[in-house]
Structures are given as C-alpha cells and as structure tokens.
Amino acid sequence: MEFEWLGPRIADETIELVLVFNEEGSILYGNQTAAAKLEYDRDKLTKCSMSQIFRQDFPNSPDGFITFVKKSMKGVKEMAMYRSNNSCFSVNVRIFPEDGIDAYLLLAEDISAQKNMNMRIRDLKERESENNRARNEFTANVTHELRTPVNGIKGHVLELVEEITDPDHKKTLDIVLSCCDNMLTIINDILDFAKLESGKFVIDEKPFDFHEMMDKVIATHSAAVNKKELHMSVDIDEKIPHKLIGDELRLTQILNNLLSNAIKFTMVGYVNVVAGMTRRVNDEVELFFMVRDSGIGISQKEQDRLFQSFSQVDASITRRFGGTGLGLAITKQLVELMHGDIHVESEKGKGSAFSFSVKLKSEQISDDKQSQVYVNWSEYMKEGEKDNVDRLMQFGEAENKAELKKRMDKLVLSIEMGAWDKAELLASTIKTLVESGGDDLKRQELRMEMAIRKSNYDKSMDMYGKLKDAITEKIGDLWDSE
Ligand code: ADP
C-alpha cells in the first residue's frame, strides 16, 4: 500500500502507549511513548514480557496469561503499568487481536494525572467537610456555653428588679435585661444555624393549638408595633383546624423572625399577617403565611442573596438595626424542613411581602378523601398588595394627606434630634407618597434626602421647608389648623 510507511510513524507520534505482543506474552513492538513512559530503551522494551509491565493484571502463567488477555479484550479496562524502576501508573487499556498473525495490539492511555486530580478533589472535599463539621461542633459548644452565663445574669437581674424601687435603677436594669435578651437571640440563632448546617436539626411532631399559637405570636409583637405607631392587621383563616401536629416552637420562630423584621424595617404604615389553608388531604394540611409591611423594601439585586447566611442587604443596615444576618437563612431552612418554601416580593421604598408554606398534620381527618384546594392565596395576596401600594401612592387623597403630614412631622423631629438614619428612612417613605405628585415634588424630595444623607442640619431644614411649601402649593396647607 502506498501509505504503509505511515503506520509506524503514526504509532510513534501518538500520545497513547502502543504495544504489540504475542500469545506467550513477549513484547514485539513498543512505540516511542511507551518506551518513554515506561522508562526503557526501545530495544530493551521489546525484550520485556507483558507480565513484567502489567504485574497485577497479566499473571505469569502460560495459560493464565492468554485467558486474562482475552477477558480484557472487551471494552476499556483500567490497569496498572510498571516502569523499569518498579513504580507504576494507571492506564485505560484497549486490546485488539491482529488478524492473520499471532499478535495482539494494546493501546494504553495514561490516566494517572486525571486520577491524581480526582484523588486530590476527593481529599479536599473530605477535608472541607471535616473542617465544617469541626467548626459547627465548636460553634455549637461555644454558643451553648455562652447561654449559661447570660441566663445566669438575666436570672439575677430579674431578682434585683423585684427588690429595687428607685425608678432610675429599675430603668437601668431593664436595659440590662433587654441586652441579655438580644444576646440570647443572637446566641440561639448561631446555635440553630450550626445545628442546621450539620444536619442535626430535628423537627418535632407534637399536638398544639394553631389559633392559640397565632394569638401568642401577635401578642409578642404588639408592644413594638404600638411603640412605632404602626397599623397591624391580622387575617387568619377560620378553616384552619385548632388541633395541629407539628413543631409549634419552630413555626413560631419563623413567624417571629419575619414579623420582627417587618416591624424593624418599617417606620410608618402597616404590618399585615395572613394565615390561610391552601390544601388538605386526609390528615395532611398545607398552610400559607404572608407577612407584609410598608417599610424600606429590598431591591431586586439584594433579594437574590437574602436567604444566604450572614447576608444583610446593606452593611449600613447592620449599624442601623443590628442583627446577624442569620435570621432568614435559618427561616428558609426551617421552612424547608417543614416541606414548604419561602418567597419574597419587595420594592425598595415601598415595602416587602414574605410568604411561605408549611405542611403539618391535623388531628381530625378530613371527611373528603379528595385533595381539597382552597384559596389561591398568592393571587389573592398580589391583588391586596397592589391595592395597598396604589392607596399609598395616590397623592392628594384625604387618607394620604393625613399620612403625609404625619411623616413630614416625624421627619422634622428626626432632623431636629439629629437622628439621621431615622430621617433618611422617613424621607424614603415620603418619596412614595409624593411620587405621583409630579416631577418638581420628586426633585425637591430628592434634594432633601441628599442633605439628610450628608447629615447637614441647615440644608436639611431648608429643604424640608421648601418641600413643605411645594406640597402646600399642590394640595393646600396640610398644617392649616396648627
Ligand atoms: P437579621 O437578623 O440581621 O435581621 P435577617 O436574615 O433576618 O437578618 O435579614 C437579613 C437582611 O434582610 C436584613 O438585615 C435586612 O437588610 C433585610 N430584610 C429582612 N426583612 C426585611 C424587611 N421586612 N424589610 C426590609 N428589609 C428586610
């Protein structure tokens, strides 16, 4: 054939190891790559036997050798090849019989680099999970140890509160108590997070009264709501059975976290809690919850990393409101442990709506064998949300005039007190109220926001006055009766 001379050339150039051997296991030919990788001179390689090169895979017995060769001829086999210095490396081997002559062709691909890489990756993964385990164990131990002294301090302070009559001292002790509570919340968050991460978290299944639980949750937050003069509304579906079976403590924790965030990040307006039953099949009940607020809101970009651990959407928020950024990460994992999911819908400056579902068991079996799907809550909620935003946005309506005046008054007070963070938040909520009042109002509001951001008292007061005049010009004097 015209190109016959190309055969040995191709065999030499290929990066695979090529060996030709006979039925006795003597090597008849080895290419350049085989000689180099096996560290033999080429002519010495042809004096070797296959059992020398493949010590484990081709035993050195006269009939054993060829039996093994024939077995290896099907597909690709992983084997070990030995170098002249007795070290070995892994290869993927294919063997073909050569027609007409008493010889076999062996092609071997060196996979040692790939195997080493896989081993290193496995090693690194093992080390990482070992590190994570150790870190979580350490965190769990330390936080557990921290809880004891904080509870000790709290207990002693509570005793002192009983004995002390001086109102100033009582006030100081109240501050110590609230510091202890904050610290316990943080410690518990870290402890929960470590437990969730290490997969040691177990969800309880005990009977509880759902409606009583909701009453307790709402009562826990009513003082904070009143203090901030927010409007709190609660819609709980009467169809939800009283007696449910599940983890009351953890469901309470989820709701408490969402509610305390809603209150924390809302300066004016409302907080709304909704609980509905979306599905009931035999003894299984699916509940839907939504916690909405008219607070500072969260931008789309920030929403993406909201449920990750240690993520607070903005570093300045940590300074302003405190917190560890663990609450929502824990909440998401708890919701998932209860076979549900959690979502957020929010717009910067307009408010947020966190909704989640959970599956619980009911003590009373549903009469209906069919799955009952109740309200499509998410659609219903979207409508409600739209109404609320529209209501807040309509500039000049009686209801909003009152709201606008309230916010403007709070704003001037905050500026006077130098409470710049609070003033900035108020300004951003005022923005939503004057937004539909025209570009000049919006521009005026922005100027005021800039001055507040720079903590410039004179400029802020000046801009506040100008915004007040611009509002009066548009819808009459809100401060008429003062
Ligand atoms: P933290 O314990 O620090 O509050 P979370 O995980 O509960 O941590 O919340 C993370 C961040 O998400 C908060 O710091 C805040 O920036 C944002 N966030 C959560 N809830 C709301 C809300 N209702 N309105 C505005 N921002 C929110």
Side-chain angles (χ1 to χ4, degrees), residues 261 264-265 293 298 306 311-313 317 323-325 327-328 352 354:
N261 274 347
K264 181 155 88 171
F265 296 110
D293 63 65
I298 309 155
L306 204 56
S311 89
Q312 289 191 315
V313 298
I317 284 183
T324 51
L328 287 176
S352 311
F354 284 84

Side-chain angles (χ1 to χ4, degrees), residues 99 112 128 136 140 166 222 261 269 284 337 340 345 381 409 421 437 457:
D99 288 339
S112 52
E128 192 192 330
N136 284 329
D166 184 291
S222 57
N261 274 347
E284 194 179 87
L337 282 174
E345 273 181 48
M381 283 307 129
D409 291 346
D421 288 341
Y457 175 82

Side-chain angles (χ1 to χ4, degrees), residues 185-186 189 257-266 291-299 302 305-315 317-318 321-331 344 346-348 351-354:
T185 310
I186 294 171
D189 270 3
N257 186 34
L258 296 182
L259 255 166
S260 59
N261 274 347
I263 298 164
K264 181 155 88 171
F265 296 110
T266 305
V291 177
R292 290 188 292 171
D293 63 65
S294 60
I296 59 172
I298 309 155
S299 72
E302 293 162 342
R305 53 193 175 95
L306 204 56
F307 296 104
Q308 289 166 15
S309 43
F310 309 110
S311 89
Q312 289 191 315
V313 298
D314 177 344
I317 284 183
T318 321
F321 298 99
T324 51
L326 278 178
L328 287 176
I330 294 171
T331 301
V344 60
S346 183
E347 210 174 315
K348 196 119 188 136
S352 311
F354 284 84

